[in-house]
Amino acid sequence: ELYEKLTADGSEVISIHLTGGMSGTVQTAESASKMVDGNITVIDSNFISYGLGFQVIKAAELAKKGASREDIITELDKIRHQTKLYVTIDTLENLVKGGRIGRGKALIGSLLHIKPIASLTDGVYTPEANVRSYSALVRHLTKQYVQAVKGKTVQAIGIAHADALELAEKLKKALLDHTPEALIDIAYTTPIISCHTGKGAIGFTFYTD
């Protein structure tokens, strides 16, 4: 119904969604787009949270300036390939409840005080490292950031947290020590993501030119 309403006057639609690796939303959008006569382009952002938001905001800015559909899609492809997203969690309890991992693995992780770090690679949750303290977590994420942005211009940085503002602020400070000119946005993550991750989770996202 929304696609029909938006295309009724001949407008083109670019419909951007969270990664298909975590949700069937983009497939549903594809199916819906085939049920109307309008010109609709459905895009899998390959990301969630700020990683999705960066693409939506840029698309809106370009559309407002009168950019063509093709030019907007080209720019979104560029952003997608230059975006990095990392996720860390403080407790494995919610992943057990959600059926993401077994209780044995969670018990071992809890005993060792492990805080897993993962990236969203090609739209899929990909484990990268395990650390045992917040300071080690901040050092690891900062190291990944510094390596990724070397010789490039940082376009945007977002830190989403699940009731972990203090940790988010520590990460922000570490990042600013290396790129003091960077603008870093911090926000609470959504209730749905918080349910999966539990309190203390951080989502760290950025993209370069």
Side-chain angles (χ1 to χ4, degrees), residues 82-124:
Q82 296 296 336
T83 297
K84 299 286 185 181
L85 188 154
Y86 296 93
V87 180
T88 73
I89 58 175
D90 188 48
T91 172
L92 300 174
E93 182 180 350
N94 285 52
L95 294 181
V96 173
K97 291 178 178 178
R100 299 283 194 248
I101 62 173
R103 290 189 179 278
K105 186 174 182 180
L107 177 60
I108 293 172
S110 298
L111 290 174
L112 296 176
H113 303 291
I114 287 175
K115 304 179 188 306
I117 299 175
S119 65
L120 207 59
T121 304
D122 296 326
V124 178

Side-chain angles (χ1 to χ4, degrees), residues 48-49 94 100 160-163 187-199 201:
I48 57 173
S49 188
N94 285 52
R100 299 283 194 248
H161 68 94
D163 201 19
Y188 277 94
T189 191
T190 64
I192 293 176
I193 292 178
S194 297
C195 284
H196 286 296
T197 64
K199 291 175 64 174

Side-chain angles (χ1 to χ4, degrees), residues 87-92 110 112-117 130-143 159-175 197-204:
V87 180
T88 73
I89 58 175
D90 188 48
T91 172
L92 300 174
S110 298
L112 296 176
H113 303 291
I114 287 175
K115 304 179 188 306
I117 299 175
N130 292 315
V131 296
R132 295 189 182 184
S133 68
Y134 290 127
S135 57
L137 187 154
V138 170
R139 285 197 301 271
H140 180 86
L141 291 179
T142 303
K143 179 181 178 182
I159 303 174
H161 68 94
D163 201 19
L165 180 59
E166 184 177 350
L167 177 57
E169 291 286 4
K170 287 181 179 178
L171 177 58
K172 177 179 178 178
K173 182 180 182 301
L175 299 175
T197 64
K199 291 175 64 174
I202 288 284
F204 168 44

Side-chain angles (χ1 to χ4, degrees), residues 8 15 22 66 76 132 134 144 168 172 174 179 182:
S15 187
M22 291 185 169
L76 295 186
R132 295 189 182 184
Y134 290 127
Q144 298 304 310
K172 177 179 178 178
T179 49

